[in-house]
Amino acid sequence: MDAEVGTIAGRVRVVLDEIRRAAVRAGRVPDQVRLVAASKTVPVERLREAVDAGIRHLGENRLQEALPKIETLDREGVLWHFIGTLQRRKVKSVVGRFETIHSVDSLALAEEINRQAREAGLRQRVLLEVNLGGEASKGGFAPTELAEALPALSELSGLDIRGLMAIPPPTPTAEDARPYFRQLRELAQALTAQGCRNINMQELSMGMSDDFPVAIEEGATYVRVGTAIFGARGEQVHAEK
Ligand SMILES: *Cc1c(COP(=O)(O)O)cnc(C)c1O
């Protein structure tokens, strides 16, 4: 079993096992937590290994990188998630190609996705990204801003708004990230209580390699895990150049 730890298949098994244990600790059903393998900079051959090991959800940050991967790894049952910063002029190519866009960080972006989705005759599943730490370097709705934007968002019939996503500020330990995860869950509850039609807040996309078990204890339904599955990204970035 130890010999497996160095392989993608072995790491996928370890992560899935940690997900299961965290869910059980929190009295949750493990199937309610979906593992999104965050695969930026990872070559498609390695994604194939992950899919062979049971990964169903792949999360990409950049459209240019994702498109050839989606074409090459054209497997039944694989769902692609867009998790990176999305520029408005790229929206047209993202809509309909990704099962869920996790990173809708402004009303203007939501409106553009709505426009393109309606033009394509579909409803795009999205999550609203929240800037919990108030960090200037990160995008996302401020919590109060989101409450204000909700009525306008609920009018966008090309969007299927399913919940919230956050990338908390870096913390020294996973435990230190817990208050942020809890804050996202409580925000989703508060927004649900606001009672806007067409808006569903049941999905929480939170937790990465260093802290996903804590995020699951606090209610995550998607965890986005890269390094713990594929290893450190540094070398692959080089290889791409
Ligand atoms: C890279 C990335 C992750 C995964 O980060 P790891 O620390 O490697 O697990 C999760 N979410 C987003 C938005 C990312 O860009």
Side-chain angles (χ1 to χ4, degrees):
M1 217 160 53
D2 280 345
E4 263 208 328
V5 168
T7 68
I8 287 179
R11 293 200 202 116
V12 166
R13 249 188 293 277
V14 168
V15 170
L16 286 174
D17 192 51
E18 283 187 60
I19 289 173
R20 214 168 294 122
R21 288 202 315 245
V24 167
R25 268 201 306 280
R28 302 183 55 205
V29 179
D31 288 352
Q32 286 173 349
V33 185
R34 278 141 303 162
L35 171 58
V36 179
S39 48
K40 58 178 176 277
T41 78
V42 179
V44 74
E45 309 79 65
R46 290 167 63 82
L47 302 196
R48 196 171 280 127
E49 278 181 66
V51 170
D52 288 341
I55 290 291
R56 307 284 312 277
H57 303 269
L58 291 166
E60 285 281 331
N61 291 63
R62 290 173 60 244
L63 182 68
Q64 299 94 303
E65 184 186 334
L67 290 182
K69 286 179 175 175
I70 293 173
E71 248 173 61
T72 310
L73 194 78
D74 186 14
R75 292 267 190 97
E76 214 170 299
V78 173
L79 298 171
W80 296 85
H81 298 254
F82 197 89
I83 64 175
T85 304
L86 178 54
Q87 290 160 315
R88 263 182 277 169
R89 62 190 165 83
K90 306 249 172 85
V91 165
K92 192 181 169 71
S93 308
V94 167
V95 161
R97 274 210 175 88
F98 290 82
E99 198 247 352
T100 301
I101 303 171
H102 290 228
S103 42
V104 177
D105 58 5
S106 70
L107 184 55
L109 179 60
E111 284 169 345
E112 179 61 12
I113 296 170
N114 177 60
R115 204 168 68 79
Q116 297 294 347
R118 288 177 55 108
E119 210 153 283
L122 52 89
R123 263 184 109 203
Q124 176 67 53
R125 273 178 71 121
V126 303
L127 306 178
L128 305 172
E129 182 172 354
V130 182
N131 190 341
L132 291 176
E135 294 168 286
S137 62
K138 274 183 197 153
F141 291 90
T144 49
E145 187 191 1
L146 187 52
E148 284 162 21
L150 216 59
L153 288 164
S154 81
E155 295 299 317
L156 304 176
S157 60
L159 296 192
D160 182 9
I161 299 174
R162 310 292 296 197
L164 303 178
M165 179 270 224
I167 309 168
T171 53
T173 72
E175 199 49 44
D176 292 317
R178 186 184 298 277
Y180 291 109
F181 297 139
R182 186 172 297 162
Q183 192 191 340
L184 196 70
R185 168 166 44 87
E186 289 172 354
L187 179 61
Q189 286 162 352
L191 294 172
T192 301
Q194 224 175 296
C196 285
R197 68 195 168 90
N198 294 330
I199 293 189
N200 178 314
M201 282 286 148
Q202 83 189 24
E203 306 289 354
L204 294 175
S205 172
M206 58 188 192
M208 315 203 296
S209 291
D210 287 337
D211 53 21
F212 68 86
V214 175
I216 291 167
E217 288 170 12
E218 293 300 328
T221 63
Y222 289 111
V223 291
R224 308 175 312 270
V225 177
T227 311
I229 293 173
F230 298 113
R233 281 181 287 274
E235 303 228 331
Q236 290 146 3
V237 174
H238 265 289
E240 245 197 321
K241 287 193 172 154

